[in-house]
Amino acid sequence: MTNKELLKITSRIGSMLIEYGAEIYRVEDSLNRIAFAYGFGSEEKHMEIFAIPTLLIITLNDGDEFPISQTKRIVNRSTNLDRVDKLNNLSRYICTIRPEPEIIERHLDEISKRSVYGIPVQFMSFGVVGAVFALFFGGEFPDAIVAGVLSVLIFFISKFVNKIKPSVFFQSFICSMVIASCAVIISRIGLTDGFDKVIIGSSMNLVPGITLTNCMRDFIAGDFLAGLYTMIEAILVAVGMAVGAASAIALFTML
C-alpha cells in the first residue's frame, strides 16, 4: 500500500468513526494501529493525528519523502454504534491481515450502507422513552400516554428541522418549545392534571446522553479540546431545552 493510499484509507475510517459517534481517543487509537500495521511505527516513519468532533487532520511522516497530509471537515454527526462496532472490527481485520486498499474500500462501502432501524421502530422507541420517564418522575398513567405521544412528535419535528441543518441549540429549542406548548394546551383541556411531568418525560428524548458520555471519556483520555467541544455542545442542547420550554410556559401563562 502506498502512502497516499494509506492516507486516504485512514482518513475515511477516521471521519466515519467521528460521524457515527465514536470517542476521539478511539479514532486516534484505531488509526495509529492501522498505520503501525503498515510500517508507520518508528520515530522516523510515523503518523500524526489531530481529531476533534468537527475536524480530522492526518499527516504521514516518511523518512524518505516529504510529509503528506489530509484534512477532513466533519459536517454531519449522528449516533450509530452498530457502524462504530463494524469499523472497530474492520480496524482489527486490517491490522491482522493488512489487505489491499480495494478490499478495505469495499468493506467501508458495506458499512456505510448498513441499514438502520425503520421509522416505526424509531418512533415507538421515542414513545416508550417518554412514557416511562413520565412515570419515573411521578406522573400518572394519562401523563405517560400524553408524554409518549408527544415523544413521537419530537421524532418527526427533529426529522423536519434536520433538513435545514440547524445548530444543536436551535434544534433543541424548537423541539422543546413545541412539546411544552402542546403539553400546556393538553393540560388546560383537562386530559392531564399538570404539564410538568409530561414535559420532563417527553424531553428526555432530547437529553444528550451520548455526548456527555463521550465528553467525560475524552477528558479522561486527555483529549481536552475534544472534551471541551462536546461539553459545550451538551450545554447548548440543555440550554435550548430549558429556554424553549420556559418560553412556551411563559407565553401561555400570560395568555
Side-chain angles (χ1 to χ4, degrees):
M1 182 183 293
T2 65
N3 290 351
K4 289 185 178 181
E5 290 173 336
L6 178 61
L7 187 63
K8 179 182 177 183
I9 290 295
T10 51
S11 63
R12 186 178 179 190
I13 293 175
S15 61
M16 288 175 67
L17 282 169
I18 296 174
E19 287 172 1
Y20 297 142
E23 311 92 319
I24 295 300
Y25 86 89
R26 185 188 303 274
V27 176
E28 295 180 347
D29 181 68
S30 298
L31 300 189
N32 277 320
R33 290 177 182 274
I34 293 173
F36 182 81
Y38 285 95
F40 283 83
S42 63
E43 185 174 347
E44 298 79 16
K45 191 176 181 181
H46 62 280
M47 174 183 285
E48 298 285 350
I49 303 169
F50 175 78
I52 58 175
T54 57
L55 183 68
L56 175 65
I57 302 175
I58 302 176
T59 301
L60 285 179
N61 292 285
D62 195 317
D64 300 328
E65 300 178 6
F66 289 106
I68 57 174
S69 179
Q70 182 163 344
T71 302
K72 298 205 74 172
R73 179 80 163 87
I74 312 299
V75 179
N76 299 315
R77 290 186 297 122
S78 60
T79 301
N80 192 319
L81 300 183
D82 171 65
R83 294 181 182 179
V84 171
D85 177 64
K86 297 304 178 183
L87 286 168
N88 278 338
N89 294 337
L90 177 61
S91 299
R92 297 187 183 96
Y93 168 76
I94 293 172
C95 293
T96 303
I97 306 299
R98 293 195 291 271
E100 293 300 316
E102 295 79 13
I103 299 176
I104 301 175
E105 291 282 1
R106 186 169 67 249
H107 283 292
L108 291 174
D109 290 337
E110 292 174 355
I111 292 173
S112 65
K113 295 176 182 177
R114 284 183 63 84
S115 61
V116 297
Y117 289 113
I119 298 297
V121 175
Q122 292 185 53
F123 73 64
M124 183 178 67
S125 301
F126 270 66
V128 170
V129 168
V132 169
F133 273 106
L135 293 173
F136 177 81
F137 287 107
E140 302 295 333
F141 186 73
D143 300 327
I145 297 298
V146 174
V149 173
L150 293 184
S151 297
V152 175
L153 181 61
I154 286 180
F155 172 77
F156 288 107
I157 294 174
S158 299
K159 287 287 186 182
F160 177 77
V161 175
N162 275 334
K163 294 180 180 179
I164 62 175
K165 301 185 184 301
S167 65
V168 291
F169 173 84
F170 180 76
Q171 180 175 357
S172 62
F173 172 81
I174 293 296
C175 291
S176 182
M177 185 172 65
V178 172
I179 293 308
S181 299
C182 293
V184 172
I185 293 173
I186 292 172
S187 176
R188 295 287 176 85
I189 293 174
L191 297 180
T192 59
D193 294 333
F195 53 80
D196 53 341
K197 304 299 187 301
V198 174
I199 295 175
I200 293 172
S202 55
S203 295
M204 291 302 293
N205 288 286
L206 302 173
V207 173
I210 296 294
T211 303
L212 287 171
T213 302
N214 287 350
C215 168
M216 293 298 103
R217 297 192 70 173
D218 287 335
F219 276 130
I220 292 172
D223 298 315
F224 298 112
L225 186 59
L228 183 62
Y229 179 94
T230 50
M231 182 178 68
I232 293 173
E233 184 179 66
I235 292 174
L236 287 175
V237 172
V239 171
M241 292 169 57
V243 173
S247 300
I249 295 173
L251 176 62
F252 280 94
T253 300
M254 289 187 296
L255 295 176

